[in-house]
Amino acid sequence: MIELRNDAKYSLVIPTSMGVRLTPVDHQPFHCSDTFKMQGTSAESNVGSIASFLGMPVKILTAFVKDSPVARFIKDDLARRHMDYEGPEFTQDTPWGVRHQINMADSGWGSRGPRVQNDRAGEVGRKLNVKDFDLQRIFGDEGAKIVHMSGLIAALSEETSEFCLEIARVAKKNGARISFDLNHRASFWKGREELLSKQFKEIASLSDILIGNEEDFQLCLGVEGPEAGGKGITAKIDGFKGMINRVKQEYPDTSLFATTLREVESANSHMWGAIVSHGEEFSVIEPRQIGVFDRIGGGDGFVGGLLYGVLKGWDAEKSSQFGWATGALTATLNTDYGQPADEDQVWSIWKGNARVQR
């Protein structure tokens, strides 16, 4: 589907700011819980987990707090997820110095929706800078088939914006394909709209794969799209197609465009679909009902499965089906990243086969 560099050491290289997620046990609300599960997390590394658990080499580019037990926890978590990592370590000079972000998220239940709050004060990932990485070694000598980044890391700080932009430039020159999930966050953009719009448009112009929902394409790239959210998502599919066609006109060198479709019936039941466009063709997965244990990371699971399909050389239809299923798989787990046992498990989800396998 998309021609990839065949001598690259890594299937995916992913710049990100790693942190930890705290989730109340037993689907309780955060504010009245006293027992929590902790995991290492970031939206971008969540994407890479699909490929890493299915045996592909993945590398994370990030920053750590020197001698921090949280940093050690994150490193061990990445290793358990079969991921390589590298990045500078910053000293916490005072108790008010740098630290890893904390994502506080309950899963919701029934009519009570999930609530998520990020505590990013002093986040060490905001200090990511190209001067701390040998980009020629990483993207020239070692090599990446696909570099995946998101708008979360690209908008995190002035330094990370330049970090992502320079990575896209260098990786592209060295034969990598660029995947960009727009992931707009209004709080990150406040007061920086003009500069970020310019930077996001340049990253998008270098991208081979562009991913986003209806709000992302409108707010990041200024492309008109359908009204965000609401009921009756299936009836809006033509509107999504029209939006993607307008994005294609703005970014003619981009090969693959994708968006997910989600309608929330309750915290534990969603209608889940996707639209992927390659060339003149559209692969549309009309929303189907899925059971949800924890919705956080489902979109990242979709992107991870889609990129896995691209890395395998599958066509857009098969890749989008696999992505739909890895997103649905992630929604059944209490981690916000997918951990597929094998491809067969994913295809069983696509086929709707939840029978016991012995």
Side-chain angles (χ1 to χ4, degrees):
M1 180 170 61
I2 296 176
E3 187 176 346
L4 301 172
R5 178 175 168 177
N6 59 16
D7 63 343
K9 179 177 180 179
Y10 292 101
S11 295
L12 283 168
V13 171
I14 300 173
T16 188
S17 174
M18 294 298 302
V20 293
R21 174 183 170 183
L22 297 177
T23 307
V25 300
D26 299 327
H27 286 266
Q28 293 302 296
F30 199 98
H31 72 280
C32 55
S33 298
D34 61 5
T35 307
F36 301 85
K37 173 182 170 58
M38 186 167 84
Q39 66 178 72
T41 190
S42 76
E44 299 80 19
S45 67
N46 291 349
V47 170
S49 281
I50 302 299
S52 69
F53 274 97
L54 292 174
M56 291 184 173
V58 176
K59 186 171 194 175
I60 300 296
L61 305 181
T62 191
F64 298 102
V65 179
K66 185 176 175 58
D67 298 325
S68 163
V70 176
R72 175 59 188 268
F73 177 88
I74 290 169
K75 291 175 182 178
D76 289 349
D77 185 72
L78 290 173
R80 187 192 66 79
R81 290 158 68 182
H82 320 294
M83 294 179 173
D84 290 347
Y85 57 82
E86 74 168 89
E89 300 205 346
F90 294 92
T91 301
Q92 191 181 51
D93 296 321
T94 72
W96 299 275
V98 291
R99 64 173 173 83
H100 291 276
Q101 62 154 311
I102 303 171
N103 181 268
M104 297 170 283
D106 71 59
S107 305
W109 187 256
S111 58
R112 174 174 55 82
R115 287 194 169 192
V116 179
Q117 181 175 344
N118 279 350
D119 183 350
R120 311 190 82 120
E123 181 174 354
V124 68
R126 287 171 53 85
K127 299 172 74 67
L128 283 165
N129 192 299
V130 290
K131 67 180 176 59
D132 295 315
F133 295 84
D134 184 346
L135 297 188
Q136 185 55 43
R137 170 181 57 79
I138 295 169
F139 298 110
D141 302 340
E142 294 178 351
K145 292 184 178 182
I146 296 176
V147 174
H148 176 73
M149 61 184 69
S150 88
L152 296 176
I153 184 68
L156 192 58
S157 69
E158 291 182 11
E159 284 183 278
T160 63
S161 299
E162 287 297 325
F163 177 65
C164 288
L165 191 50
E166 189 61 21
I167 281 177
R169 291 167 178 159
V170 174
K172 189 82 171 180
K173 287 179 182 177
N174 283 280
R177 299 297 187 175
I178 308 300
S179 166
F180 189 29
D181 187 345
L182 295 167
N183 254 333
H184 181 271
R185 289 293 184 275
S187 57
F188 289 11
W189 280 62
K190 189 174 181 180
R192 303 171 62 207
E193 290 86 356
E194 185 175 348
L195 176 59
L196 284 178
S197 177
K198 180 180 178 181
Q199 290 172 323
F200 271 54
K201 287 176 180 178
E202 182 173 349
I203 295 174
S205 72
L206 295 168
S207 297
D208 301 277
I209 302 165
L210 270 178
I211 304 149
N213 63 26
E214 64 273 33
E215 287 184 297
D216 294 333
F217 283 113
Q218 294 178 74
L219 297 174
C220 295
L221 303 181
V223 177
E224 181 185 352
E227 182 181 352
K231 298 289 184 179
I233 198 76
T234 301
K236 298 179 181 178
I237 287 176
D238 285 343
F240 281 95
K241 286 183 176 180
M243 176 186 70
I244 290 173
N245 281 331
R246 287 188 287 275
V247 178
K248 285 181 183 180
Q249 292 175 2
E250 294 290 331
Y251 301 96
D253 294 329
T254 302
S255 300
L256 193 70
F257 302 84
T259 188
T260 55
L261 305 171
R262 188 196 300 264
E263 187 173 318
V264 177
E265 297 181 331
S266 76
N268 312 111
S269 178
H270 293 182
M271 299 295 289
W272 176 241
I275 300 175
V276 175
S277 177
H278 182 245
E280 300 300 317
E281 300 299 319
F282 279 93
S283 297
V284 178
I285 301 174
E286 295 205 4
R288 293 161 48 185
Q289 188 175 38
I290 61 169
V292 178
F293 184 83
D294 185 329
R295 70 163 283 170
I296 308 303
D300 298 327
F302 166 79
V303 177
L306 179 71
L307 294 183
Y308 180 80
V310 173
L311 289 163
K312 293 280 285 188
W314 297 340
D315 63 23
E317 182 176 18
K318 186 174 181 179
S319 297
S320 60
Q321 292 172 353
F322 197 81
W324 180 94
T326 49
L329 167 69
T330 304
T332 70
L333 305 175
N334 64 3
T335 53
D336 54 12
Y337 49 83
Q339 303 176 68
D342 47 41
E343 287 185 13
D344 287 344
Q345 183 183 59
V346 177
W347 287 120
S348 290
I349 293 171
W350 168 252
K351 295 171 185 175
N353 177 18
R355 294 176 61 87
V356 64
Q357 294 189 27
R358 302 185 190 276

